[in-house]
Amino acid sequence: MPYELHYWPMIQGRGEFVRLALEEAGADYVDVARQDDDSGGIGPMLDRLSDPADPRPPLAPPFLRDGDVVVGQSAAILLYLGPRLGLVGASESDRIWTHQLQLTVADAVDEAHDTHHPVGVGLYYADQKPEALRRAAEFRDERIPKYLGYFERVLAANGGGRLVGANLCYADLSLLQLVDGLLYAFPRATAAALRRTPQVAALHETVARRPRLAAYLASERRIPFNEDGIFRRYPELDP
Amino acid sequence: MPYELHYWPMIQGRGEFVRLALEEAGADYVDVARQDDDSGGIGPMLDRLSDPADPRPPLAPPFLRDGDVVVGQSAAILLYLGPRLGLVGASESDRIWTHQLQLTVADAVDEAHDTHHPVGVGLYYADQKPEALRRAAEFRDERIPKYLGYFERVLAANGGGRLVGANLCYADLSLLQLVDGLLYAFPRATAAALRRTPQVAALHETVARRPRLAAYLASERRIPFNEDGIFRRYPELDP
């Protein structure tokens, strides 16, 4: 039975970290909200989120259904999928370390989101633009270099162009996505940071050329970045 | 050999979620930065964070050392400690679900932090007060009720006053800490939300009365809330 991914159909968002893992592994999955038949759309997702009979409800998308198991929170979904998709090492220490890296990517993603929504998720960007300008300045000057510098240090210590051991793991894929999103939203600041983090830049380029991932990224399944997602290109935020 | 917890010694912060688990389990641990002998203080923590020879460096405190294993990111630390301390179920589905709840607590904690630092972590609160007033309003009106309402739904579906199954898990302890912090920082808004989430309120009260936890909370080991931590009482943010 295929995995079912439930996520907003118009954005990459937090669902994309799960999509990249499923695509790279060649997993059998259905991106339910993007199907246009009777069983698709966001109806099943919204039903599940508000189902009073669900004993273990996710708070928000994305969530993954694998038979009777439903897992929400993108990092927890990858914790669940990692061993099943061959995208994490076998030892407990490798698994915890990979997850630690994933949570650090997630922190960076949260901060990228907050550059355009510093005051609140319930307001439009246009209603918090002065605050966004201030927050984006610190993000560009301090936070992007800090996060990419950290991953550079991890890649250098590990060697071989991977974050953990010799094999690709889900955190490598999530780092690729983080860099891709930062390049979209903050092209100038991110390019400058990547010049000082060559191993991060190399991971971003080489992993994207893996056959399955390259096919996915070139396909219609890859939703283009846009200004409804986490990573938004507002030129005034990256002057 | 005792666990070593490394975290800032003057605040509860993100280290507190780990402390509560260690204390409730009666684990043998050393809060290294709070020791005043030659092996204590924040020196060992800072050394470890900047050690160029460390192949798996944490980005930031807290981190836990267990012999040769070092784990950073509070949710990952609890993922590691849960089975060792008897604070998570034995099945994979219980463990993933507990972790999913932990990540949702962590999201709420991040948002609580951002109420007083909406523009950036590198600035003082006094330099972002207008932005904080705006962000706190949404947090009080929308986010506190949303998060506590979600945990109320989970507690109600599970029954028995626990988030997962019949036994206490680390996410119960972290929910206690979230509520405690919210009551400190936003006493009016949180009291109002708790009147609509009686099971969350009951968990907060009854878990804090467990013998080991009550002893810890009354001890000097429990650092008081203060305005350097995540949860800060700025009266203007909860008028």
Side-chain angles (χ1 to χ4, degrees):
Chain A
M1 196 157 63
Y3 294 111
E4 285 183 11
L5 174 65
H6 293 260
Y7 193 62
W8 302 111
M10 307 305 284
I11 58 172
Q12 293 182 16
R14 288 183 169 78
E16 195 67 12
F17 299 91
V18 181
R19 289 194 189 103
L20 290 185
L22 292 165
E23 292 283 347
E24 168 59 27
D28 185 16
Y29 81 102
V30 180
D31 201 343
V32 178
R34 298 183 70 200
Q35 308 306 307
D36 54 11
D37 59 21
D38 289 346
S39 61
I42 60 171
M45 178 177 95
L46 298 179
D47 288 348
R48 184 90 199 192
L49 289 173
S50 61
D51 179 3
D54 185 353
R56 296 186 168 188
L59 176 60
F63 59 88
L64 181 91
R65 193 163 85 83
D66 178 20
D68 291 336
V69 176
V70 174
V71 185
Q73 286 276 4
S74 49
I77 298 170
L78 291 168
L79 183 69
Y80 179 83
L81 284 176
R84 291 170 170 81
L85 302 182
L87 286 172
V88 72
S91 70
E92 185 195 15
S93 58
D94 277 2
R95 290 186 181 185
I96 289 277
W97 171 234
T98 303
H99 195 59
Q100 180 181 334
L101 294 170
Q102 184 65 38
L103 293 175
T104 303
V105 171
D107 285 344
V109 170
D110 284 350
E111 292 188 27
H113 171 271
D114 284 356
T115 57
H116 52 76
H117 275 73
V119 173
V121 293
L123 297 168
Y124 290 109
Y125 169 64
D127 296 326
Q128 48 192 309
K129 207 163 150 180
E131 295 91 342
L133 290 170
R134 291 190 74 191
R135 174 125 189 179
E138 179 185 87
F139 186 69
R140 289 193 312 270
D141 296 345
E142 306 290 339
R143 307 302 287 174
I144 292 177
K146 181 182 174 81
Y147 280 113
L148 297 191
Y150 173 70
F151 291 115
E152 182 77 8
R153 179 178 165 202
V154 171
L155 288 165
N158 187 54
R162 296 285 176 268
L163 287 168
V164 185
N167 297 320
L168 190 78
C169 70
Y170 62 78
D172 290 313
L173 297 169
S174 291
L175 178 55
L176 177 155
Q177 173 68 8
L178 171 63
V179 172
D180 229 40
L182 291 175
L183 280 169
Y184 176 77
F186 301 95
R188 290 164 50 92
T190 306
L194 288 173
R195 281 193 289 276
R196 292 186 297 271
T197 54
Q199 301 211 35
V200 174
L203 178 143
H204 174 251
E205 287 186 19
T206 60
V207 171
R209 287 201 293 266
R210 293 171 71 91
R212 284 177 180 150
L213 216 55
Y216 167 66
L217 294 172
S219 75
E220 293 198 345
R221 298 195 301 289
R222 171 78 162 183
I223 302 165
F225 285 109
N226 61 53
E227 281 56 60
D228 293 315
I230 294 170
F231 298 104
R232 305 189 185 183
R233 181 172 289 174
Y234 295 129
E236 62 273 20
L237 299 187
D238 187 34
Chain B
M1 197 157 64
Y3 294 111
E4 284 183 11
L5 174 65
H6 292 260
Y7 193 62
W8 302 112
M10 308 304 284
I11 59 172
Q12 291 181 21
R14 289 182 169 79
E16 195 67 12
F17 299 91
V18 182
R19 289 193 189 104
L20 290 184
L22 292 165
E23 292 282 348
E24 169 58 28
D28 186 15
Y29 81 103
V30 180
D31 202 342
V32 178
R34 299 184 69 200
Q35 308 306 306
D36 53 12
D37 59 20
D38 289 347
S39 61
I42 60 172
M45 177 177 94
L46 298 179
D47 289 348
R48 184 89 199 191
L49 290 173
S50 61
D51 178 4
D54 185 353
R56 297 188 166 187
L59 176 59
F63 59 87
L64 181 90
R65 194 162 85 81
D66 178 19
D68 291 337
V69 176
V70 174
V71 185
Q73 285 278 2
S74 49
I77 297 171
L78 291 168
L79 183 69
Y80 178 85
L81 284 176
R84 289 170 170 79
L85 302 182
L87 286 172
V88 72
S91 70
E92 185 196 15
S93 59
D94 276 2
R95 290 187 180 185
I96 288 278
W97 171 235
T98 304
H99 195 59
Q100 179 181 334
L101 294 170
Q102 184 66 38
L103 293 174
T104 303
V105 172
D107 286 344
V109 170
D110 285 350
E111 293 188 29
H113 171 271
D114 284 357
T115 56
H116 52 76
H117 275 73
V119 173
V121 293
L123 297 169
Y124 290 108
Y125 168 64
D127 296 327
Q128 48 192 311
K129 206 162 151 182
E131 295 91 343
L133 289 170
R134 290 190 73 191
R135 174 124 189 182
E138 180 185 87
F139 186 70
R140 287 193 313 269
D141 296 344
E142 306 290 337
R143 307 303 287 173
I144 292 176
K146 181 183 174 81
Y147 280 113
L148 297 190
Y150 172 71
F151 291 115
E152 182 77 9
R153 179 179 165 203
V154 172
L155 287 166
N158 186 54
R162 295 284 176 269
L163 286 169
V164 185
N167 297 321
L168 190 78
C169 71
Y170 63 77
D172 290 313
L173 297 169
S174 292
L175 178 55
L176 176 154
Q177 174 67 8
L178 171 64
V179 173
D180 228 40
L182 291 175
L183 279 170
Y184 176 77
F186 301 95
R188 289 166 50 92
T190 305
L194 287 173
R195 281 193 289 275
R196 293 187 296 272
T197 55
Q199 300 211 35
V200 174
L203 178 143
H204 173 252
E205 286 186 20
T206 60
V207 172
R209 287 202 292 266
R210 293 170 71 89
R212 283 178 180 148
L213 216 55
Y216 167 68
L217 293 172
S219 75
E220 292 198 347
R221 298 194 302 286
R222 171 78 163 182
I223 302 165
F225 285 109
N226 60 55
E227 281 55 60
D228 293 314
I230 295 172
F231 298 105
R232 304 187 186 185
R233 180 171 290 173
Y234 295 130
E236 61 274 21
L237 299 187
D238 187 35

